[in-house]
Amino acid sequence: MSELHTDLQSGNWSGKDLNLPGWAKNLRKNAAEQFRMHGFPKRTDETWKYTVSSLQDLQDIRLDRGTDTGYPGQSLAHDLPGSGYRVNLLNGRMVGVKGTLPSGVKLLDMKDALESETDGLQSVLETLSGLQGSRTSSHGFSALNTATLGAGLYIHVPPGVDAGRMHLNWAVSQEETTRLINSRICLLIEAGASLEIVERFGNLQNSTHTTNVVVQAELQNGATLNHVRLQAEPDSACLITRTEISQLSNSDYSYFGFDLGGRVIRHDLHSSLLGPGAKANLNGAYLLDGNRHVDNHARVDHIAPDGQSDQYFRGVASGSSKAVFNTAVCVHPGADGSQASQSNANILLSKRAEIDTKPELEIYADEVIASHGATVGQLDEQAVFYLRSRGLNEQQAREILTTAFCKSVSDRLGDPELATVISQRMMDVMPQAD
Amino acid sequence: MSREQSTIDKRVEQKYQHGFVTDIESDTLAPGLSEDVIRFISNHKGEPEWLLDWRLNAYRHWLGMRQPEWAHLKIDAIDFQKISYFSEPKADKDRPQSLDEVDPKLLETYDKLGVPLHERARLAGVAVDAVFDSVSVGTTFKKELSKAGVIFCSFSEAVRDYPELVRKYLGSIVPPRDNFFAALNSAVFSDGSFVFIPRGVRCPMELSTYFRINAAETGQFERTLIIAEENSQVSYLEGCTAPMRDENQLHAAVVELIALEDANIKYSTVQNWYPGDEHGVGGIYNFVTKRGDCRGARSRISWTQVETGSAITWKYPSCVLRGDDSVGEFYSVALTNNYQQADTGTKMIHIGRNTRSKIISKGISAGQGQNAYRGLVRITPRADNSRNYTQCDSMLIGKRCGAHTFPYIEVRNPTAKVEHEATTSRIGEDQLFYCLQRGISEEDAVSMIVDGFCKQVFRELPMEFAVEAKALLEVSLEGAVG
């Protein structure tokens, strides 16, 4: 940690010398102070207790200096179907775009957006500082992300515009040192507008980096955001992400996350239903083998009445892997008429693997329908037997059933073509029983 | 709804029925906690040296501990120096040798509580140990029990008469350093109940302890230890009450259960400590550590609790399923009304093969009550074919209360099956309407719906106590629906 603090103080990182407006300087300064006080998450932070021990030693980690320019992941750019605008991000910074943006839609490099004080950016950025959590270190990574604010994107969709699909391809260049790469994606989707983003994390090179990405989106009245995330990081990579969604009335947010790779993956996914009638639909599948560690924390806060949230997550763990899943719904006082459901099912395939799940409910209003279910178990032996009686061998039978189990998540995607590609990817990495 | 509202208001005004103070002379130690206080307690009870050392070690460790803050509770700071750690009813000469020698006022107290130590106990065939403030004042049916070889006595007597048994098992399930409140209890515990069921014995009657806090500014710190040897069986019930006072009083108990091979322990609690008034003033702070060890193969421990009292309840009766094929069960009804807060649940630690656990938790929140279920189900790598089923249901009555669920599930064995489900609901207007149009009054309709909600738990209680629990729930809930 000491190296990193030195970096932060001496300004030895990319984006230090931006010509920032006063408010942005303040954001950075306050966040740096917060990070200095609390540092990275500790084992005593309840929300990190299963994951801290798996994080690599952060003692020697350095901030990325931003010296690379070549994009190593060209081949990644076309591997997902569907048209749409493509943005390549290298080490958290935008390096190339392809396609035409619908008229009125703005896409800016975070650096330029900050320097030119683009409309709307300040309010989106400042939302997070209120959510940073001053008492504990549990949000140390996002404090650090704000303290080094400068890389990433700002996307603005004006009222009523359908911006279509946008691919974000994340890649990291290979370097000797262990680096921490920070990047911020801010989205402002105005009333009645809609956007789909498809994030793809998957480096071809096996570098030992830690990527720390914060995605923030503000969905105004009646706006729609469809968010797909395919994570297939190399075995050595560590990815820490936080997604913060603010939803005004009747807005609709859907998330589909697929964790297929990485060494340590942590994702905090949080949506606040601030306006009446907002909907959040969170789905995910995590497939683990080897000694991977995947930790998903999903939370929906129902603050306004008549909100709906649905959480649907499926996990498979084999080898010596560890899957952590925490889902929470909080229905605040006054959020009457809220409906919330959570479903989490897991299959454990190995004696050395571990699944820790915690479906939480916090209810402060009485006109509410809330339910949750969580299971950990194995494949249904009767179903295996049935398939074998139809002429399949045992391994085939188990593969089919495990795939079907995970496919129930990709089947919820609205786009059948994308669903097919993703379910194929899941089959390619489907963990095997010991 | 206005008619309903007025019925409710009327019923809300109903007060805690066990809030009387018994005017009885008692010896109470001045408030404060130090090694001297612990030495005094130990000396006063004529304890052996090893137990004093055990207490002092716990106390020294406790000094370095911090009160836990993870529970979903708002707790005013507790000044541990303002509490008196020992209070006993003053007996004229020696301690009463039999119930006939017990101060008649005390017996009257228990009569008022509905625990007549003589008659009802005899009629119901239940052996009762009554603990008043810090000490046990009498145990019934001792002779009948001893014929069967069952030891049922106060903890102090057990230390005196069966020191080897106490020394062997004390702290073996809840070590003195287990947590903040268990450490405090280990240092200052004053009395409690001790039960020993020898091999092959099926305890001939239900055993029961009634706890009552009477003196002001005292805390109650009792310890219960139940040992069921191979192939034995026992059912044990505890109940608790306290007077109405404006200050918060502390109750920090420890209960340890040990079930050897094929033994079966059923432990039921009807907790009705003073909950504080409708403005949240006063009430008992109830911080209890309860843990059972299914040490032998095929042993079984079942916890049933009906928690309607206390300003704050912090309690997680747990089972360590060490023996192969052992079974742990937890049935709970927790009710919070007015400003009561409860953070309660269980832990099921599966260590042996083919172990099974079942958790049924029903939380009812009314007024401004906050009710949280917090549970842990841990399947260790060795626990092949283990099975857990958890069901947590919450019922909300009113707009200002809260119901929360924090279930931790940790699975490290691929042959285990763990299921958890939870629902949150309210008493629907359509349900009430249906009952009303069938000629059922609102009060009866509400109690019927609540009773139905809790039925799975009540049927686990011994019959007499199920009736008592149901009545208690009705009283506690009165006026809450609106």
Side-chain angles (χ1 to χ4, degrees):
Chain A
M1 189 111 77
S2 53
E3 295 280 352
L4 199 134
H5 279 290
T6 319
D7 280 357
L8 202 56
Q9 267 169 7
S10 64
N12 196 3
W13 43 280
S14 76
K16 169 73 180 171
D17 304 319
L18 296 185
N19 182 23
L20 293 179
W23 60 265
K25 281 184 186 156
N26 273 339
L27 272 184
R28 272 188 177 182
K29 204 176 111 197
N30 294 339
E33 179 57 21
Q34 233 180 58
F35 180 72
R36 196 186 58 77
M37 277 172 68
H38 301 294
F40 287 118
K42 298 173 185 69
R43 195 187 282 271
T44 46
D45 287 318
E46 184 64 16
T47 58
W48 279 84
K49 71 173 191 177
Y50 295 113
T51 299
V52 165
S53 56
S54 299
L55 282 175
Q56 63 174 314
D57 188 9
L58 295 165
Q59 195 66 28
D60 302 324
I61 204 158
R62 305 293 300 254
L63 286 174
D64 181 45
R65 292 191 208 176
T67 45
D68 298 280
T69 48
Y71 185 71
Q74 288 299 339
S75 59
L76 293 176
H78 299 287
D79 69 350
L80 286 177
S83 56
Y85 198 73
R86 287 169 196 278
V87 184
N88 290 341
L89 293 129
L90 177 66
N91 302 339
R93 281 166 289 124
M94 187 164 91
V95 289
V97 292
K98 195 178 171 194
T100 333
L101 280 172
S103 99
V105 177
K106 266 192 255 175
L107 182 135
L108 295 168
D109 191 321
M110 182 58 77
K111 176 169 78 73
D112 301 333
L114 281 168
E115 286 185 331
S116 63
E117 285 199 70
T118 307
D119 288 346
L121 179 62
Q122 181 179 355
S123 75
V124 178
L125 281 171
E126 284 179 347
T127 328
L128 187 72
S129 64
L131 297 166
Q132 217 131 252
S134 51
R135 279 190 307 122
T136 67
S137 62
S138 66
H139 286 309
F141 281 102
S142 28
L144 186 62
N145 189 294
T146 307
T148 59
L149 192 64
L153 298 174
Y154 175 56
I155 300 165
H156 178 194
V157 186
V161 171
D162 178 4
R165 181 175 289 174
M166 199 176 276
H167 291 271
L168 306 183
N169 293 319
W170 297 89
V172 172
S173 62
Q174 198 157 25
E175 254 187 48
E176 289 303 306
T177 51
T178 23
R179 287 167 307 154
L180 180 72
I181 292 154
N182 290 296
S183 185
R184 175 75 58 104
I185 308 292
C186 284
L187 302 150
L188 175 59
I189 305 170
E190 293 208 60
S194 61
L195 172 70
E196 178 177 51
I197 55 170
V198 179
E199 287 188 274
R200 168 80 162 84
F201 289 91
N203 222 38
L204 295 177
Q205 295 156 348
N206 212 359
S207 82
T208 54
H209 56 271
T210 297
T211 312
N212 176 23
V213 177
V214 175
V215 177
Q216 284 179 266
E218 184 178 316
L219 274 63
Q220 297 190 342
N221 299 347
T224 304
L225 174 62
N226 200 27
H227 184 184
V228 182
R229 190 177 109 135
L230 181 62
Q231 179 278 113
E233 286 277 83
D235 291 347
S236 54
C238 173
L239 175 66
I240 312 288
T241 45
R242 178 167 177 201
T243 304
E244 281 292 339
I245 313 289
S246 309
Q247 293 188 244
L248 301 188
S249 60
N250 300 313
S251 59
D252 197 337
Y253 174 68
S254 297
Y255 171 84
F256 300 89
F258 302 91
D259 285 304
L260 313 180
R263 193 178 62 80
V264 180
I265 306 295
R266 161 78 179 213
H267 186 199
D268 284 277
L269 172 61
H270 178 213
S271 176
S272 304
L273 308 183
L274 303 167
K279 281 183 199 165
N281 178 11
L282 315 178
N283 308 277
Y286 39 95
L287 281 61
L288 289 75
D289 57 8
N291 58 358
R292 293 190 206 289
H293 180 117
V294 173
D295 176 350
N296 276 294
H297 270 63
R299 179 181 173 94
V300 179
D301 276 279
H302 288 256
I303 294 160
D306 302 317
Q308 280 182 33
S309 67
D310 183 17
Q311 301 185 37
Y312 186 91
F313 286 80
R314 294 290 176 267
V316 180
S318 78
S320 311
S321 65
K322 187 168 175 182
V324 181
F325 182 70
N326 191 125
T327 162
V329 166
C330 181
V331 179
H332 293 252
D336 289 332
S338 293
Q339 290 184 28
S341 71
Q342 300 166 303
S343 163
N344 174 232
N346 299 280
I347 293 180
L348 193 53
L349 293 175
S350 150
K351 278 214 150 217
R352 287 163 289 126
E354 176 173 348
I355 288 175
D356 301 314
T357 173
K358 178 153 73 94
E360 289 179 41
L361 283 174
E362 263 184 86
I363 316 276
Y364 298 92
D366 73 339
E367 283 176 44
V368 167
I369 299 173
S371 64
H372 68 208
T375 60
V376 181
Q378 51 290 134
L379 294 174
D380 180 356
E381 288 306 320
Q382 283 195 346
V384 175
F385 178 77
Y386 175 80
L387 289 177
R388 292 187 65 192
S389 76
R390 297 275 150 178
L392 296 174
N393 67 31
E394 179 156 356
Q395 197 191 340
Q396 286 169 324
R398 288 186 185 280
E399 269 175 26
I400 284 176
L401 290 170
T402 318
T403 308
F405 177 76
C406 297
K407 209 168 157 283
S408 66
V409 179
S410 55
D411 284 349
R412 293 165 82 99
L413 274 164
D415 178 347
E417 200 186 352
L418 189 59
T420 311
V421 173
I422 288 178
S423 74
Q424 185 58 49
R425 292 289 159 80
M426 289 198 287
M427 279 172 78
D428 294 345
V429 298
M430 193 56 71
Q432 305 288 325
D434 277 358
Chain B
M1 290 299 260
S2 67
R3 193 160 57 89
E4 197 177 301
Q5 192 62 51
S6 69
T7 330
I8 288 152
D9 290 346
K10 238 187 326 186
R11 303 181 82 190
V12 165
E13 284 162 18
Q14 196 142 10
K15 293 284 193 290
Y16 182 68
Q17 293 181 336
H18 304 300
F20 56 87
V21 181
T22 307
D23 181 19
I24 194 164
E25 269 191 280
S26 60
D27 284 326
T28 304
L29 203 60
L33 181 55
S34 64
E35 292 204 2
D36 288 342
V37 168
I38 293 163
R39 281 178 213 281
F40 171 83
I41 295 171
S42 187
N43 185 36
H44 188 79
K45 303 178 92 58
E47 284 177 357
E49 192 69 22
W50 67 265
L51 193 51
L52 175 63
D53 289 343
W54 194 82
R55 286 172 179 273
L56 289 173
N57 280 335
Y59 174 68
R60 285 168 197 148
H61 188 75
W62 177 79
L63 287 175
M65 294 174 97
R66 286 182 52 197
Q67 194 178 327
E69 289 172 352
W70 43 258
H72 196 278
L73 300 169
K74 283 191 192 119
I75 308 171
D76 291 339
I78 302 171
D79 186 344
F80 291 94
Q81 294 302 335
K82 277 206 171 144
I83 298 170
S84 165
Y85 289 85
F86 192 77
S87 173
E88 71 174 345
K90 194 183 265 178
D92 290 342
K93 293 175 196 158
D94 293 317
R95 300 287 317 282
Q97 295 304 308
S98 77
L99 275 178
D100 301 332
E101 294 174 34
V102 170
D103 188 327
K105 275 219 170 110
L106 253 182
L107 292 177
E108 216 174 277
T109 305
Y110 281 93
D111 279 343
K112 279 195 212 171
L113 291 172
V115 196
L117 292 182
H118 289 296
E119 300 81 359
R120 202 189 91 161
R122 190 143 299 164
L123 286 172
V126 176
V128 179
D129 181 25
V131 178
F132 198 81
D133 287 333
S134 300
V135 294
S136 169
V137 292
T139 309
T140 58
F141 282 109
K142 267 190 170 171
K143 270 188 203 148
E144 286 84 341
L145 288 171
S146 66
K147 258 187 240 161
V150 172
I151 303 172
F152 179 39
C153 61
S154 74
F155 210 92
S156 312
E157 286 173 68
V159 170
R160 193 184 62 213
D161 300 338
Y162 314 99
E164 325 73 46
L165 278 177
V166 174
R167 195 169 185 177
K168 182 172 172 193
Y169 290 108
L170 178 69
S172 66
I173 321 299
V174 180
R177 299 177 170 202
D178 190 78
N179 66 68
F180 184 82
F181 294 105
L184 178 64
N185 174 288
S186 302
V188 301
F189 75 90
S190 37
D191 215 329
S193 299
F194 177 84
V195 177
F196 179 83
I197 317 286
R199 185 173 305 193
V201 170
R202 187 192 170 114
C203 186
M205 61 188 77
E206 305 264 352
L207 303 183
S208 170
T209 302
Y210 260 82
F211 296 104
R212 178 166 174 83
I213 299 179
N214 192 58
E217 288 171 355
T218 54
Q220 179 151 315
F221 307 91
E222 82 274 358
R223 244 187 131 94
T224 302
L225 178 56
I226 300 180
I227 302 140
E229 280 203 327
E230 290 85 349
N231 209 12
S232 67
Q233 208 173 333
V234 62
S235 167
Y236 182 93
L237 186 127
E238 62 171 7
C240 358
T241 56
M244 286 156 68
R245 294 189 195 284
D246 287 347
E247 87 227 37
N248 295 112
Q249 282 181 287
L250 180 64
H251 172 247
V254 171
V255 175
E256 296 177 281
L257 312 182
I258 296 136
L260 301 182
E261 228 165 83
D262 294 300
N264 188 336
I265 302 177
K266 188 171 174 63
Y267 193 104
S268 315
T269 305
V270 176
Q271 186 263 103
N272 185 28
W273 294 115
Y274 178 53
D277 68 8
E278 61 273 28
H279 306 294
V281 176
I284 302 289
Y285 282 0
N286 191 29
F287 297 95
V288 179
T289 307
K290 292 185 168 177
R291 197 171 300 153
D293 189 5
C294 285
R295 210 167 271 187
R298 297 169 302 282
S299 55
R300 180 190 202 106
I301 289 179
S302 174
W303 298 99
T304 307
Q305 59 173 28
V306 177
E307 304 279 323
T308 58
S310 294
I312 288 174
T313 302
W314 180 99
K315 180 179 172 190
Y316 315 91
S318 310
C319 295
V320 181
L321 304 170
R322 214 181 290 276
D324 290 350
D325 303 289
S326 58
V327 178
E329 290 172 322
F330 175 74
Y331 299 92
S332 167
V333 167
L335 180 139
T336 52
N337 197 356
N338 296 323
Y339 286 85
Q340 281 176 272
Q341 305 176 65
D343 193 299
T344 182
T346 183
K347 288 184 192 179
M348 294 289 172
I349 314 291
H350 292 253
I351 297 169
R353 293 183 179 85
N354 309 318
T355 45
R356 281 170 293 150
S357 63
K358 183 173 177 183
I359 300 169
I360 306 286
S361 165
K362 306 280 180 178
I364 302 165
S365 314
Q368 313 220 13
Q370 298 294 329
N371 203 328
Y373 166 81
R374 184 182 301 277
L376 167 69
V377 174
R378 175 179 290 155
I379 313 282
T380 61
R382 212 176 73 80
D384 290 337
N385 303 317
S386 50
R387 183 88 175 80
N388 163 266
Y389 173 74
T390 303
Q391 187 186 335
C392 301
D393 296 325
S394 306
M395 182 179 273
L396 291 133
I397 304 174
K399 290 203 171 300
R400 290 167 301 166
C401 52
H404 320 296
T405 319
F406 307 102
Y408 290 71
I409 301 166
E410 302 177 357
V411 185
R412 301 185 64 183
N413 187 303
T415 59
K417 263 197 194 137
V418 178
E419 288 173 89
H420 173 99
E421 58 183 331
T423 61
T424 299
S425 58
R426 65 193 289 252
I427 295 183
E429 279 176 36
D430 48 344
Q431 288 172 320
L432 274 180
F433 178 74
Y434 179 81
C435 294
L436 290 178
Q437 61 107 350
R438 296 270 154 182
I440 299 165
S441 73
E442 284 132 340
E443 289 162 46
D444 290 346
V446 169
S447 79
M448 205 165 82
I449 293 167
V450 170
D451 188 39
F453 180 72
C454 302
K455 205 164 201 159
Q456 266 176 299
V457 176
F458 287 166
R459 69 170 176 230
E460 295 298 323
L461 286 170
M463 203 266 287
E464 309 84 343
F465 299 106
V467 174
E468 185 178 334
K470 195 179 153 192
L472 201 56
L473 207 64
E474 278 174 21
V475 171
S476 306
L477 253 186
E478 271 168 2
V481 181

